[in-house]
Amino acid sequence: MRTSFIATCAWLVLVSTLGVAKPINLRCEYLINPIGVDVAAPRLSWQLDDSSQGAAQIAYQIWVGTDSLGLLQGKGLEWTSSKISSNQTLQTYTGKPTQAFRKYFWTVAVWGSDGQKSTANIGSFEMGMLQASNWQGSWISDGRDVNLKPAPYFRKAFGVTKKIKSARAYIAVAGLYELYLNGQRIGNQRLDPMYTRFDRRTLYVTHDVTAQLQNGQNAIGVLLGNGWYNHQSTAVWFFHEAPWRNRPTFCLDLRIAFTDGTTETIRTGKDWKTDLSPVIFNSIYTAEHYDARLEQAGWHLPNFDDSKWKEVTFRAAPSTNVVSQLMHPIRDVEEIAVKKMSKINDTTYLFDLGRNISGVSSLKVNGASGTRIRLKHSELLNEQGRADLSNIDVHYRPTDDSDPFQTDIFILKGEGEESFKPRFNYKGFQYVEVTANRPIALTAASLKGYFMHSDLPVLGQVQSSNPTLDKIWYAANNSYLSNLFGYPTDCPQREKNGWTGDAHIASETGLYNFDGITVYEKWLADHRDEQQPNGVLPSIIPTSGWGYEWGNGPDWTSSMAIIPWNIYLFYGDTKLLGDCYDNIKRYVEAITARSSNGLTTWGLGDWVPVKSKAPVELTSSIYYFTDATILAKAAKLLNKTADYEKYTALAQQIKTAINAKYLNVEKGIYGNGTQTELSAPLHWGIVPPELKAKVAANLAQRVKADNVHLDVGLLGTKTILNALSDNGYADLAYQMAAQEDFPSWGWWIKNGATTLYENWPIDAKSDISMNHIMFGEIGAWYYKALGGIKPDPGSPGFRNILLQPHFVAGLEQFSASFKTPQGELLSSWKKTAKGIEYEVIVPANSTATLRLDLEIGQKVSNKGQILVSESKKYFTKQLKAGSYDFLIK
């Protein structure tokens, strides 16, 4: 074994010389070198770096050990896989049982299509607690008063005498936190830990604090915020009555490893001290209030005098299920300068960021002690040019005027320039109106905006010859990110709720553009936490209990099935389907219990339509069919033969019932033939094959009769463009997508939108959030129709790519790049005097099934070589990895 491994490592030198295919981008649980891994058998993945034509992996072998030198020498290995003949680049660890806190190093060797072998640079993963019994700290707080408004400080001083090798802080919190060590804030993440159903699952975060720890005296400081755990603001969803509600609490273990091989754990207990902080009020829903006069300089330093601080209170753990938060964190991803500032008077200023965002603002200001400054955040201005909250405060139910909506309060201490930035809140806004109770002098540089969201790696990029089209894509991405805070939400201001329907409709838009698997896996765990024993799910997840009686039919809560299936298609990973299988099954059975002969009226229907609304029974039954179909496919993948047969039959029964009631076979029309009634059956596979062309033709006629404008709601926006593009009417779909007058996405853009809206009329009287993702499917349609990029269910994870671009009339150029799990794919075309020039790059270790629709007389060539087509109507070819320059003329 050692000899073969040394030989493998010798190839590292040869690889760079010969350009041999090399494994790169090593990930564990889809993260780079993660720490705090709580998965006993983590997933390991990589990509193949090889630009040669036909590049492929034919075999691989993995080594895992407990130190990097031992790994390279073939010693101390915890697991060595055999040489596996496969092109798979995802493998679950199957070695010796992983140990808590232990760091593992790993590498993979691959054999390319030329038979040569290459080894990756070494990656690592470090285990977390793994078991509840490994926690040493106690849960502590400053009491149990849910009405106490100031956020609490906590601190502990301690000494270190031995030479430090490494140090990790493990912190579990019910609420939110900021962690400090020797005065330095640890990490740049925001709003940790992520929101869960706190009484059923509590998250902990792991920090590497080796660099901040010092020999001699040290001090740990913790500031706790309410988050969703202690919701002091009142709104219609009753989070202030949540069954878990309590004063925030936390448990911390600071585990120090020394060079002599020993360890020491500094833990939370009665030897900690607590006091109230200058954060005098904080609400994740509304805003944050800060009184700088109450600051205690050096509170997180070793020599701080805490003799006046009080003893902490022991608390019970909020749940018995404390698990690692293993996902991309929320961050201040982008700092945004003010585009325009208006001075209204000596005490009032209006700042315009020039775009709508989720996040916070920061302010720098000079003023006298006690000056009270209010920062009101809005999406709109009223007729007088002042911040207007009327479109987003409709569900807020304040009990007094002490908690103004989306309005931070900053009280100055009067000692030169002071700064303020909320810690435990975020908002949705473009404008900030700053008012003070005394004159203040501000400039445009005094305020900045911070675009906050889950900081996902970017995967996709789109660019076209139509500026409006590009702006719609940009707006869709802005709304997707503005509604991603460890779980997908509907809007970042009025609600911040995890509406299930909005999320599954937008999931493909997210997955084409961002690496979202860690967020979706966490959110589907939230689904499992919230599901009732009878299979019913609430319409918002997580929830305090609201949503089990309204809005939670299959058209919304199909997120339970659709998102795990999309993750399987995009990543080629069955884990989430397996984790959710029993839940999907119980959910489908819950719908069955409420259905009649294969049909169900349970649901909201085509929410916020332009003018026509399809019958709820039709759309909900279609989602019932979709859920049963996904369940059957999952059963087949997971080798559950009896379930596969049962739910395949159920799906067929539902389809038959839908067609029997709603399909006019002679005319090829569903229901009254509105856009959603025709496009939903086409998109979700309800239409009998022999009638697809007729139904699609009727849909095209309906769209033309509607002046090629939208007449759909939420559910219809998922299906209308796809149904047209997939059934021979891509030109019409593009014409609809590119409209710039009402009702259309472009209408919003022409009226200054930088995000997507909640309603088609920009002057609607209700449902008028200006940062909603629910109409965001168009962001995925760019990739699927114009770029032609789709996953192949038979070879998921884009190991084989279905590639069928549409060179639509009216668009001169389009380009889509997408970083698949195998590598970056390019589908780019432009119309020139030569014809249509189409550039394709298929990533290494992938193939693509190309189909090009042809006009009469058109021929296809690649780099000057004419390619033979078996059909005059279309050209097909199976592509190996590599680059292609097609010309269609």
Side-chain angles (χ1 to χ4, degrees):
M1 178 60 67
R2 180 180 177 183
T3 302
S4 65
F5 197 90
I6 292 174
T8 296
C9 296
W11 275 98
L12 288 168
V13 177
L14 196 57
V15 164
S16 59
T17 306
L18 299 179
V20 176
K22 183 178 176 65
I24 60 169
N25 294 336
L26 273 61
R27 301 285 193 275
C28 173
E29 290 296 302
Y30 297 96
L31 299 170
I32 300 172
N33 300 333
I35 61 175
V37 177
D38 252 2
V39 182
R43 293 164 291 181
L44 307 174
S45 60
W46 61 95
Q47 293 177 342
L48 192 65
D49 183 18
D50 186 352
S51 60
S52 63
Q53 210 75 6
Q57 170 188 296
I58 61 172
Y60 69 89
Q61 188 168 4
I62 297 173
W63 291 265
V64 180
T66 51
D67 72 69
S68 55
L69 291 178
L71 188 68
L72 289 172
Q73 296 170 0
K75 295 180 179 179
L77 297 177
E78 296 290 305
W79 177 47
T80 304
S81 75
S82 59
K83 178 182 177 181
I84 300 170
S85 296
S86 171
N87 68 347
Q88 288 280 358
T89 54
L90 175 67
Q91 172 67 55
T92 300
Y93 174 85
T94 57
K96 298 175 184 177
T98 49
Q99 302 297 310
F101 314 122
R102 182 170 292 181
K103 187 169 187 175
Y104 294 86
F105 298 89
W106 73 285
T107 190
V108 58
V110 303
W111 284 261
S113 50
D114 57 3
Q116 295 192 46
K117 178 181 176 184
S118 175
T119 306
N121 295 331
I122 291 173
S124 68
F125 59 92
E126 183 178 291
M127 306 309 291
M129 287 288 174
L130 283 180
Q131 297 178 359
S133 58
N134 287 320
W135 284 95
Q136 297 186 33
S138 300
W139 284 87
I140 62 171
S141 186
D142 67 337
R144 296 176 176 82
D145 184 357
V146 297
N147 296 311
L148 182 60
K149 291 185 176 180
Y153 278 149
F154 299 86
R155 61 172 272 114
K156 175 181 171 59
F158 62 97
V160 175
T161 58
K162 295 183 180 181
K163 188 174 181 181
I164 300 164
K165 178 183 178 182
S166 64
R168 302 288 186 264
Y170 305 90
I171 180 167
V173 180
L176 300 171
Y177 76 93
E178 285 189 347
L179 174 65
Y180 297 84
L181 187 55
N182 296 325
Q184 299 180 58
R185 182 169 174 235
I186 304 303
N188 63 356
Q189 72 289 340
R190 300 290 307 278
L191 303 179
D192 263 347
M194 305 299 179
Y195 175 28
T196 60
R197 174 67 190 253
F198 296 102
D199 53 352
R200 295 176 184 170
R201 186 163 43 100
T202 309
L203 300 181
Y204 76 86
V205 181
T206 304
H207 296 281
D208 182 351
V209 295
T210 309
Q212 290 79 21
L213 197 63
Q214 60 194 23
N215 284 102
Q217 286 300 301
N218 293 267
I220 309 173
V222 174
L223 173 63
L224 290 187
N226 287 320
W228 293 95
Y229 185 65
N230 184 29
H231 204 280
Q232 293 178 323
S233 302
T234 49
V236 299
W237 303 283
F238 305 115
F239 284 105
H240 59 289
E241 298 177 0
W244 61 70
R245 187 180 172 191
N246 210 329
R247 182 76 169 160
T249 180
F250 77 106
C251 178
L252 181 144
D253 280 4
L254 172 58
R255 190 174 188 273
I256 308 169
F258 300 105
T259 55
D260 65 2
T262 62
T263 61
E264 180 183 4
T265 300
I266 309 300
R267 70 202 74 171
T268 43
K270 276 291 186 180
D271 52 350
W272 285 60
K273 299 292 254 338
T274 184
D275 199 7
L276 299 179
S277 77
V279 181
I280 57 175
F281 175 79
N282 69 99
S283 167
I284 189 72
Y285 182 60
T286 57
E288 188 164 310
H289 307 169
Y290 187 88
D291 189 343
R293 298 170 300 180
L294 302 178
E295 290 177 348
Q296 300 184 52
W299 70 273
H300 38 34
L301 294 174
N303 59 355
F304 178 78
D305 180 5
D306 61 11
S307 59
K308 294 182 180 180
W309 286 31
K310 69 176 187 178
E311 187 178 75
V312 298
T313 302
F314 280 142
R315 286 269 297 278
S319 79
T320 58
N321 184 23
V322 182
V323 296
S324 179
Q325 177 178 291
L326 206 60
M327 59 192 297
H328 294 289
I330 299 163
R331 292 190 176 99
D332 294 338
V333 178
E334 186 179 353
E335 182 182 279
I336 301 170
V338 169
K339 186 175 181 179
K340 179 183 177 182
M341 186 202 80
S342 302
K343 182 178 179 180
I344 296 173
N345 53 49
D346 287 345
T347 60
T348 308
Y349 298 79
L350 185 77
F351 296 86
D352 179 1
L353 298 182
R355 56 184 285 204
N356 201 354
I357 64 168
S358 61
V360 296
S361 63
S362 69
L363 181 71
K364 292 184 177 180
V365 61
N366 286 275
S369 177
T371 301
R372 190 178 184 90
I373 299 174
R374 296 161 68 98
L375 296 91
K376 183 178 181 180
H377 299 72
S378 73
E379 295 184 321
L380 288 173
L381 299 180
N382 62 22
E383 293 179 356
Q384 290 74 42
R386 304 288 292 272
D388 182 357
L389 298 174
S390 61
N391 69 315
I392 53 175
D393 64 359
V394 61
H395 296 315
Y396 184 36
R397 300 290 185 271
T399 56
D400 55 36
D401 60 359
S402 65
D403 180 15
F405 192 65
Q406 289 219 147
T407 303
D408 295 323
I409 297 176
F410 179 29
I411 303 173
L412 304 186
K413 63 183 175 183
E415 298 178 6
E417 185 178 75
E418 302 178 50
S419 61
F420 166 73
K421 181 181 173 186
R423 293 167 166 83
F424 302 126
N425 166 266
Y426 74 97
K427 309 165 188 72
F429 66 102
Q430 176 172 336
Y431 305 99
V432 185
E433 182 177 306
V434 178
T435 59
N437 62 346
R438 298 170 184 167
I440 55 174
L442 300 177
T443 68
S446 300
L447 186 136
K448 294 185 183 300
Y450 293 88
F451 190 12
M452 291 170 60
H453 53 78
S454 291
D455 191 10
L456 302 184
V458 175
L459 298 183
Q461 182 69 40
V462 160
Q463 188 275 325
S464 79
S465 56
N466 183 337
T468 299
L469 206 68
D470 291 358
K471 289 177 181 178
I472 294 170
W473 175 77
Y474 170 79
N477 279 356
N478 280 342
S479 281
Y480 180 80
L481 293 174
S482 293
N483 285 288
L484 205 67
F485 281 76
Y487 67 107
T489 68
D490 61 331
C491 55
Q493 9 65 7
R494 188 186 69 211
E495 299 190 28
K496 299 182 173 77
N497 280 323
W499 280 96
T500 49
D502 303 46
H504 74 70
I505 292 290
S507 60
E508 287 182 283
T509 289
L511 292 171
Y512 275 111
N513 286 290
F514 305 101
D515 186 8
I517 186 171
T518 61
V519 171
Y520 284 123
E521 288 192 331
K522 177 266 179 191
W523 194 50
L524 267 294
D526 296 334
H527 279 60
R528 298 194 295 272
D529 288 343
E530 296 287 10
Q531 189 175 34
Q532 293 183 338
N534 64 2
V536 173
L537 290 155
S539 51
I540 60 171
I541 296 175
T543 182
S544 63
W546 190 94
Y548 286 100
E549 295 185 4
W550 189 85
N552 59 331
D555 48 0
W556 252 245
T557 42
S558 286
S559 53
M560 183 79 255
I562 289 173
I563 290 177
W565 182 250
N566 283 341
I567 290 294
Y568 167 70
L569 291 178
F570 276 72
Y571 289 87
D573 189 340
T574 60
K575 184 178 187 300
L576 188 57
L577 270 177
D579 289 346
C580 295
Y581 181 82
D582 289 340
N583 304 87
I584 300 170
K585 184 176 177 179
R586 281 194 286 132
Y587 178 57
V588 169
E589 291 297 338
I591 306 171
T592 301
R594 294 187 177 209
S595 69
S596 176
N597 300 317
L599 300 175
T600 178
T601 58
W602 186 21
L604 288 179
D606 203 16
W607 194 247
V608 192
V610 176
K611 60 179 186 290
S612 303
K613 184 174 181 178
V616 171
E617 186 180 64
L618 173 61
T619 51
S620 285
S621 298
I622 287 174
Y623 277 98
Y624 178 25
F625 163 80
T626 300
D627 295 336
T629 301
I630 289 172
L631 180 56
K633 291 176 179 177
K636 187 174 184 180
L637 284 169
L638 301 173
N639 298 313
K640 299 177 184 292
T641 304
D643 279 359
Y644 168 67
E645 294 173 354
K646 175 181 177 179
Y647 293 107
T648 298
L650 175 61
Q652 183 58 51
Q653 176 191 344
I654 300 165
K655 179 192 289 190
T656 300
I658 293 170
N659 286 328
K661 181 166 184 178
Y662 288 99
L663 173 60
N664 183 318
V665 175
E666 183 179 347
K667 294 181 178 179
I669 289 178
Y670 283 80
N672 293 315
T674 63
Q675 290 184 21
T676 298
E677 286 175 303
L678 295 172
S679 64
L682 280 166
H683 178 73
W684 292 113
I686 298 293
V687 183
E690 67 276 11
L691 290 177
K692 285 186 70 175
K694 182 181 285 189
V695 174
N698 283 323
L699 174 61
Q701 287 302 117
R702 178 68 263 168
V703 168
K704 291 174 183 177
D706 291 326
N707 198 27
V708 198
H709 281 70
L710 294 163
D711 183 21
V712 294
L714 170 62
L715 306 181
T717 54
K718 179 69 182 180
T719 61
I720 182 64
L721 298 179
N722 292 307
L724 289 168
S725 299
D726 292 343
N727 292 281
Y729 298 95
D731 287 356
L732 195 62
Y734 169 71
Q735 189 179 349
M736 173 180 274
Q739 294 288 3
E740 295 181 354
D741 57 351
F742 176 82
S744 67
W745 293 277
W747 170 243
W748 296 334
I749 299 300
K750 287 299 179 180
N751 281 275
T754 57
T755 47
L756 302 185
Y757 292 174
E758 185 186 11
N759 211 326
W760 301 109
I762 58 177
D763 57 351
K765 302 304 180 185
S766 63
D767 301 315
I768 192 55
S769 154
M770 299 174 74
N771 198 347
H772 243 69
I773 188 53
M774 72 180 193
F775 293 135
E777 163 63 16
I778 189 172
W781 175 81
Y782 287 100
Y783 294 90
K784 292 187 285 186
L786 302 180
I789 301 167
K790 293 181 181 179
D792 182 350
S795 187
F798 295 92
R799 292 195 304 274
N800 186 61
I801 301 148
L802 301 181
L803 204 55
Q804 187 178 359
H806 295 292
F807 312 126
V808 293
L811 190 65
E812 298 304 306
Q813 176 265 327
F814 180 83
S815 179
S817 63
F818 173 51
K819 296 176 183 177
T820 77
Q822 311 307 319
E824 189 160 8
L825 165 69
L826 177 68
S827 176
S828 179
W829 53 266
K830 60 182 177 180
K831 298 172 182 176
T832 68
K834 297 178 183 178
I836 299 171
E837 298 179 26
Y838 179 44
E839 181 184 2
V840 176
I841 298 178
V842 179
N845 206 39
S846 289
T847 57
T849 303
L850 175 66
R851 174 176 169 137
L852 301 174
D853 294 331
L854 301 178
E855 296 179 4
I856 296 174
Q858 281 187 327
K859 293 184 179 180
V860 181
S861 62
N862 176 38
K863 298 180 180 178
Q865 181 181 357
I866 298 295
L867 303 175
V868 177
S869 174
E870 295 180 0
S871 170
K872 294 181 180 180
K873 293 183 178 180
Y874 58 86
F875 168 82
T876 60
K877 185 175 179 62
Q878 191 67 18
L879 306 180
K880 295 181 178 180
S883 61
Y884 299 84
D885 294 303
F886 295 106
L887 179 64
I888 301 99
K889 65 175 183 178

